[in-house]
């Protein structure tokens, strides 16, 4: 059974009502358990929209999205957040909360006690290569871009979700730092076995990180917007 399955999914944003066209049109796609599936394609072809429908930040207009066989529209959003981690380009850490508090966000929402949460925070900081003693009490503005990205990954993994969605996760990091994060993340992904859906416009990153690469395309014609062209094995 696939970790995620998109079945004939379509998304029309209300803002484009009156014009024929959809951000995502008739997308059918499977993400296999424990793989890294990379979504590539030109800007505006619907990559972020696709990702955000999986965790219901965006509601699909039609079609179905199944998470481990279960229709995500039938899953309670708090439970969904526990099962799907989400990492974006500039991470979106809460600026007035420490690294530890940021990582603890979803565990706290789920009612974990302080002891269990603190142990998990330390474990995750170790996993992403940040010494808990040095980093747990810092604020986001006291970190480098690469360190913030590591905290973002740690936060997304806090509840050990089977699925991780990553939208240009290393996009804000300089090329050398990005290379190091890609390598490091590949190790983490193998270690925890998370299924990953990763969006990038960086073909080099797609080839480096992806077990499979799905290409979305935008045609010159509105009706061709975001048809999946191909899914190729690396
Ligand atoms: P990508 O991630 O491939 O750059 P997006 O999924 O962000 O593409 O966007 C796909 C299309 O949907 C674009 O034409 C974009 O302008 C449009 N779009 C994205 N988000 C919204 C929104 N909230 N409201 C209206 N249109 C949107
Ligand atoms: P809240 O304002 O949500 O109650 P807390 O200040 O209690 O947040 O901290 C959130 C979580 O972060 C706590 O559950 C705590 O276990 C964890 N935490 C806070 N500081 C540290 C730290 N220095 N090292 C490890 N975990 C910490």
């Amino acid at each position: 059974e696939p970790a995620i399955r998109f079945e004939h999914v379509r998304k029309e944003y209300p803002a484009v009502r009156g014009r024929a066209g959809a951000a995502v049109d008739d997308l059918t796609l499977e993400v296999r358990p424990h793989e890294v599936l990379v979504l590539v394609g030109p800007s505006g072809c619907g990559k972020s929209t696709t990702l955000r429908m999986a965790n219901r930040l965006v509601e699909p207009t039609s079609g179905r999205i199944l998470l481990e066989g279960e229709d995500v529209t039938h899953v309670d959003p708090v439970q969904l957040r526990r099962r799907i981690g989400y990492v974006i380009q500039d991470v979106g850490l809460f600026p007035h909360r420490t690294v530890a508090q940021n990582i603890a966000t979803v565990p706290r929402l789920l009612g974990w006690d302080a002891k269990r949460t603190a142990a998990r925070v330390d474990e995750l900081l170790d996993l992403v290569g940040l010494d808990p003693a040095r980093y747990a009490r810092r604020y986001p503005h006291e970190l480098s871009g690469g360190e913030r990205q590591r905290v973002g990954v740690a936060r997304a993994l806090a509840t050990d979700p089977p699925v991780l969605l990553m939208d240009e996760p290393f996009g804000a990091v300089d090329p050398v730092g990005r290379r190091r994060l890609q390598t490091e993340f590949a190790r983490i992904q193998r270690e925890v076995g998370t299924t990953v859906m990763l969006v990038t416009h960086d073909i080099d990153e797609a080839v480096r990180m992806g077990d499979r690469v799905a290409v979305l395309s935008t045609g010159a014609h509105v009706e061709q917007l975001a048809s999946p062209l191909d899914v190729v094995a690396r």
Side-chain angles (χ1 to χ4, degrees):
E1 172 174 280
I4 312 176
R5 180 171 159 77
F6 291 77
E7 281 179 5
H8 302 290
V9 172
R10 177 175 176 87
K11 177 61 188 180
E12 282 178 50
Y13 286 105
V16 293
R17 203 168 33 214
R19 280 197 59 186
V24 172
D25 184 21
D26 198 24
L27 176 70
T28 294
L29 183 70
E30 281 187 2
V31 189
R32 300 168 184 161
H34 313 299
E35 80 170 343
V36 178
L37 182 103
V38 180
L39 273 183
V40 295
S43 181
C45 74
K47 303 183 296 297
S48 296
T49 298
T50 299
L51 217 58
R52 289 169 178 202
M53 287 191 288
N55 65 1
R56 275 185 43 211
L57 287 175
V58 169
E59 297 288 345
T61 305
S62 60
R64 290 206 310 167
I65 301 167
L66 306 175
L67 174 65
E68 296 171 313
E70 189 181 0
D71 191 336
V72 297
T73 58
H74 297 145
V75 178
D76 167 52
V78 172
Q79 293 306 315
L80 197 58
R81 256 176 276 162
R82 186 175 63 77
R83 289 165 61 184
I84 303 185
Y86 186 47
V87 181
I88 57 177
Q89 173 160 330
D90 25 27
V91 192
L93 295 177
F94 304 116
H96 304 299
R97 315 200 80 207
T98 63
V99 164
Q101 289 168 343
N102 267 283
I103 295 172
T105 303
V106 173
R108 298 292 287 193
L109 270 176
L110 294 170
W112 291 22
D113 66 37
K115 193 175 165 194
R116 180 180 175 198
T117 305
R120 184 63 179 147
V121 166
D122 286 356
E123 184 179 50
L124 286 159
L125 284 172
D126 281 331
L127 179 72
V128 299
L130 298 174
D131 176 6
R134 289 181 54 206
Y135 285 94
R137 290 182 173 79
R138 290 202 201 174
Y139 287 88
H141 74 269
E142 298 172 316
L143 305 174
S144 74
E147 287 167 349
R148 275 200 290 275
Q149 226 51 39
R150 287 167 194 265
V151 174
V153 169
R155 183 174 63 177
L157 291 175
T159 57
D160 217 355
V163 171
L164 193 56
L165 307 176
M166 306 181 87
D167 195 341
E168 301 279 3
F170 313 127
V173 181
D174 66 89
V176 175
R178 185 186 306 188
R179 195 61 69 88
R180 194 161 51 224
L181 278 177
Q182 288 166 347
T183 307
E184 189 94 338
F185 179 76
R187 173 190 61 76
I188 293 169
Q189 194 268 338
R190 277 194 305 274
E191 205 170 309
V192 299
T194 314
T195 303
V196 176
M197 217 174 153
L198 184 147
V199 162
T200 185
H201 62 254
D202 178 350
I203 296 297
D204 186 58
E205 178 163 288
V207 172
R208 183 182 305 274
M209 314 241 353
D211 294 307
R212 290 187 307 139
V213 177
V215 183
L216 298 192
S217 103
T218 316
H221 302 291
V222 177
E223 64 270 21
Q224 286 178 4
L225 277 179
S227 309
L229 265 192
D230 200 3
V231 179
V232 293
R234 185 164 58 163

